[in-house]
Amino acid sequence: MCAQLCLVDALVTQMTINSIQKPASFPFRHVVIDNYLNSNTHDAIRQDFNKLLAHGITQLPDQNRLAKMPGYDCYNWVFPRDVTAPMDHFYSAEFMAFCRETLNIPFTAEVNAQINHHPAGCRSGIWHTDFIHCYHTQDPTNHSGIRPWYFGCNYQSGMPVAGGSDARILKRVRALTFLYYIDGDDWTQGDGGETAFGYESPFGDEVAPFSAIAPLPNRLLMFECSPHSFHRMLGNNRLPRSLIIGWLHCTPEYAVQKHGMVPDDWNSEAALGLVTYNEPEQ
């Protein structure tokens, strides 16, 4: 078993190193990589996701199942600290080094990753940037030097949570968003589920659509979180949309130095799940 896992890790590492490319700059820095992982690794991730989905979805908080995200037309499952191969690739030093080299951002050790599942028929999301303060607890890092977030404190407010950690609270800023699409083999134009990019219109306060990244399987999308990184999910009309999504972080001081703006804070209603992140139904 160890030899098999080591072989998978080696294949993953080789794939990512060979995939480093110059990011596009408009409307904000981003990279799209098709066939990011070797086919065996991607198939293993899909199998693990299918096992998770077989446990069903729930409207109630549940760390062991895909559970409804307050405010979102979505169900999620947060990676545990000890998530196993092949999903542990996204909690590895190799993945963080790849992201650092690709976008030249001095990330801290903190990473947050989860599976998001949108059943067919979910509504489009609202425009947002991900450039926001968030909180981690200073728990020991894993064997790769990564500090995964796993309910040590409230990610949005830093407040203690039942059964959380007694470690010191760290204030961080989202610096990079990554999306790794799991399914969508039969996706065609018009099915929806894309990740749309937008930019601030020079004629007002509205966000103008610029492009849409299709949710194709084994595709990795990464973008820098900035005051202008407007994006949203487009409603998936025909197919479920399932992906690994996560965030790498930087210090608040670096974020202000880099972007010349103080990141937003989650408002209290958002932290309590009392607002919606999806467009209202017409």
Side-chain angles (χ1 to χ4, degrees):
M1 176 64 72
C2 179
Q4 292 176 339
L5 294 181
C6 290
L7 176 59
V8 168
D9 289 343
L11 290 172
V12 167
T13 302
Q14 181 181 4
M15 184 67 212
T16 56
I17 289 174
N18 291 340
S19 298
I20 291 173
Q21 56 183 272
K22 184 177 179 180
S25 58
F26 194 83
F28 44 86
R29 294 205 300 158
H30 68 278
V31 175
V32 179
I33 302 173
D34 288 325
N35 300 314
Y36 171 65
L37 299 176
N38 66 77
S39 59
N40 289 337
T41 304
H42 176 71
D43 289 344
I45 288 177
R46 191 193 298 250
Q47 289 171 15
D48 284 353
F49 166 72
N50 287 336
K51 291 176 184 176
L52 178 67
L53 186 60
H55 291 301
I57 58 178
T58 177
Q59 302 294 321
L60 302 175
D62 191 333
Q63 296 178 10
N64 299 310
R65 296 169 62 190
L66 287 161
K68 183 70 168 61
M69 292 179 65
Y72 292 87
D73 214 359
C74 178
Y75 298 82
N76 81 323
W77 175 76
V78 178
F79 281 18
R81 294 190 184 95
D82 58 351
V83 65
T84 56
M87 292 187 186
D88 65 348
H89 168 66
F90 298 97
Y91 276 168
S92 69
E94 292 81 8
F95 179 66
M96 181 172 283
F98 167 64
C99 295
R100 184 184 301 114
E101 184 168 350
T102 302
L103 287 167
N104 191 28
I105 299 173
F107 301 113
T108 59
E110 292 73 39
V111 184
N112 184 346
Q114 60 191 42
I115 287 180
N116 280 9
H117 174 64
H118 303 258
C122 288
R123 294 169 291 164
S124 295
I126 61 172
W127 290 111
H128 62 289
T129 68
D130 279 8
F131 186 63
I132 199 161
H133 285 118
C134 49
Y135 298 86
H136 288 248
T137 47
Q138 196 174 20
D139 299 301
T141 59
N142 66 13
H143 63 279
S144 293
I146 304 301
R147 184 177 290 116
W149 181 87
Y150 194 70
F151 305 102
C153 66
N154 186 292
Y155 180 72
Q156 298 166 320
S157 68
M159 295 296 293
V161 297
S165 172
D166 295 328
R168 184 167 72 95
I169 303 294
L170 301 172
K171 189 174 187 178
R172 296 293 185 241
V173 175
R174 285 179 171 177
L176 177 140
T177 299
F178 62 86
L179 301 91
Y180 177 76
Y181 302 100
I182 298 174
D183 49 19
D185 300 79
D186 299 327
W187 186 91
T188 58
Q189 194 72 34
D191 286 341
E194 300 99 328
T195 300
F197 286 176
Y199 63 94
E200 295 160 289
S201 169
F203 306 106
D205 295 331
E206 304 226 349
V207 176
F210 174 73
S211 61
I213 312 301
L216 302 181
N218 205 8
R219 167 174 280 182
L220 178 70
L221 166 63
M222 303 190 304
F223 60 86
E224 180 178 22
C225 300
S226 77
H228 311 290
S229 56
F230 287 98
H231 64 284
R232 66 173 183 162
M233 171 203 160
L234 300 182
N236 53 326
N237 307 316
R238 187 174 71 91
L239 299 173
R241 178 184 187 260
S242 307
L243 66 152
I244 294 170
I245 183 170
W247 298 270
L248 276 59
H249 303 81
C250 64
T251 64
E253 294 77 15
Y254 172 79
V256 172
Q257 177 186 0
K258 173 70 182 294
H259 300 291
M261 293 180 64
V262 176
D264 292 331
D265 289 309
W266 301 83
N267 65 53
S268 57
E269 289 187 338
L272 293 172
L274 300 179
V275 296
T276 179
Y277 295 91
N278 292 89
E279 290 185 338
E281 294 180 341
Q282 301 299 320

